[in-house]
Amino acid sequence: MDLADDLSTRPYDVYRELRTTSPVHRVAGTDGRPAWLVTRYDDVRAALADPRLSLDKAHAREGNYRGLALPPALDANLLNMDPPDHTRLRRLVGRAFTPRRVEQLRTPIRATADRLLDALGTHGTTDLVTAYAAPLPITVICELLGIPESRRRDFRSWSNVLVAPDPSRPQVAKEAFAGMLGFLAELLVHKRSSPADDLLSDLIAVRDADDDRLTEDELMSLAFLILFAGYENTVQLIGNAVLALLENPDQMALLRQDPARIADAVEEFARFEGPALLAIRRFPTQDLEIGGTVIPAGDTVLLSLSAANRDPNRFPDPDRVDLGRDATGHLALGHGIHYCLGAPLARAETEIALTALLDRFENLEFAGADPQWRPSMRARGLTALPVHYSRATPAP
Ligand code: HEM
């Protein structure tokens, strides 16, 4: 196996070795083109906040790994931008995506979680990714964007294709893109004429002091980014957190005894098994030294959030899940000006998903042989999470 395969199938082993022997290492990106992989906590954290590392593809040199290619209408998004464009757009979005909006979603999130759990009955065996971790965030995103009930089925099926496209069926992905673009355009027209109490309507209405507002492409890209950045990551964090609990019954017992620990627990799950292995690719605008290696301007830099989160110099005994540790400072949601915009929502969803699950089922057990991880150097997530569950201890 080569390094690219190892990074996709056993990332933490590779990170452990690289942090010690080659903390800034030449690797091949998902398209086989070269990039630099940075794995030490201090280097990754500093680089995330370094203005000399651009997210704008205009600074990329030909021949290097460039990350995901999106159609132009979806490219005007925060994760392709530097200041001052990024600052302007993020300020506008911040006006609509408020803490109040996240708080408003707590009750519908819990209701959705309970409804999904109701469907499981009192006991049985199921794949928790399909039955629970996946449908919960997609419903939340539909609520957030104000997508009507009647269109959620289409939205879900396009989302499923888009977040995990099958490379052997490019036509399917193309159709899903077209479907999603058409749908978002239609939705924007509708929200413009009949605004409601949802994020999309607020984004359309938002202006700043200079009467600046979001362009059509920016609105469209943003709606797409919220789906893209928010959906897959949240599904995976919920799945990864449940698996961590199943594999560490002492920690599950601790959480059951003291449910108020849930917020700290979510931070530890994000540190231990965060879904975004890598930050968005970055391009140095000038020759730049990271961890003793000089990286030429225009090369591609991949910052490993997960390698940083398992750096023993920052988090002692990092491969252990420990709900008692202080996991703050983890980089699972990024750091600096691109820090995850949806972080409060991601935290709320994961907290509620875990709390509702533990409240409902007294017994939860992993029902597979070994956890099945999706092979990816970008994302850490389970293909399935088979569990046995029941409400109360069965009579002897
Ligand atoms: C567990 C779930 C999530 C994880 C692990 C996650 C992770 C991240 C990370 C690491 C970044 C920074 C990328 C970088 O600097 O390279 C980011 C940015 C972002 N996230 Fe999240 N995210 C999650 C959920 C969400 C949700 C639910 C939303 C929206 C509803 C969202 C919206 C965004 C947006 C818009 C950005 C770009 C911010 C900017 O560039 O200024 N994310 N996320």
Side-chain angles (χ1 to χ4, degrees), residues 336-349:
I337 61 168
H338 291 280
Y339 183 74
C340 179
L341 191 74
L345 182 58
R347 290 188 163 110
E349 282 184 66

Side-chain angles (χ1 to χ4, degrees), residues 183-335:
F183 170 70
L184 289 177
E186 205 184 291
L187 190 65
L188 284 174
V189 170
H190 176 68
K191 296 284 170 192
R192 219 180 267 288
S193 58
S194 335
D197 186 13
D198 56 54
L199 178 67
L200 220 49
S201 303
D202 284 2
L203 285 170
I204 292 168
V206 92
R207 293 162 190 265
D208 71 8
D210 306 321
D211 208 21
D212 205 356
R213 49 196 320 173
L214 295 163
T215 67
E216 208 68 10
D217 275 3
E218 284 168 349
L219 273 169
M220 190 94 136
S221 304
L222 207 71
F224 185 77
L225 180 63
I226 285 173
L227 164 72
F228 199 75
Y231 175 46
E232 189 188 16
N233 277 328
T234 314
V235 176
Q236 291 176 346
L237 181 56
I238 295 171
N240 298 357
V242 174
L243 179 69
L245 284 172
L246 297 173
E247 289 190 325
N248 296 276
D250 58 327
Q251 300 298 300
M252 170 127 66
L254 210 65
L255 193 53
R256 284 190 188 278
Q257 271 159 23
D258 184 5
R261 277 175 186 268
I262 187 67
D264 291 342
V266 168
E267 297 312 302
E268 172 64 351
F269 295 132
R271 179 202 70 81
F272 175 72
E273 202 78 91
L277 290 170
L278 301 174
I280 299 297
R281 79 283 169 281
R282 283 156 162 79
F283 312 104
T285 53
Q286 59 191 81
D287 294 357
L288 190 71
E289 195 224 290
I290 300 182
T293 300
V294 176
I295 300 181
D299 273 15
T300 303
V301 176
L302 298 176
L303 303 170
S304 176
L305 306 173
S306 299
N309 287 338
R310 298 255 191 146
D311 185 338
N313 289 329
R314 177 62 180 78
F315 298 104
D317 200 1
D319 297 325
R320 201 162 68 87
V321 189
D322 176 1
L323 300 192
R325 86 161 78 225
D326 178 5
T328 51
H330 72 72
L331 302 176
L333 294 156
H335 170 66

Side-chain angles (χ1 to χ4, degrees), residues 150-161:
S150 60
R151 301 304 306 274
R152 290 188 183 179
R153 187 197 289 262
D154 286 343
F155 187 76
R156 268 190 221 116
S157 70
W158 293 318
S159 310
N160 285 336
V161 175

Side-chain angles (χ1 to χ4, degrees), residues 7 11-19 37 39 277 304 306-307:
L7 275 169
Y12 300 117
D13 294 340
V14 183
Y15 296 155
R16 193 177 304 114
E17 202 176 316
L18 289 180
R19 269 191 315 260
L37 180 69
T39 46
L277 290 170
S304 176
S306 299

Side-chain angles (χ1 to χ4, degrees), residues 6 13 30 40 87 129 163 165 176 202 223 238 245 265 285 296 327 335 339 346 352-353 383 388:
D6 285 347
D13 294 340
T30 48
R40 284 187 184 157
T87 323
V129 172
V163 294
D202 284 2
I238 295 171
L245 284 172
T285 53
H335 170 66
Y339 183 74
I352 294 169
T383 53
H388 300 304

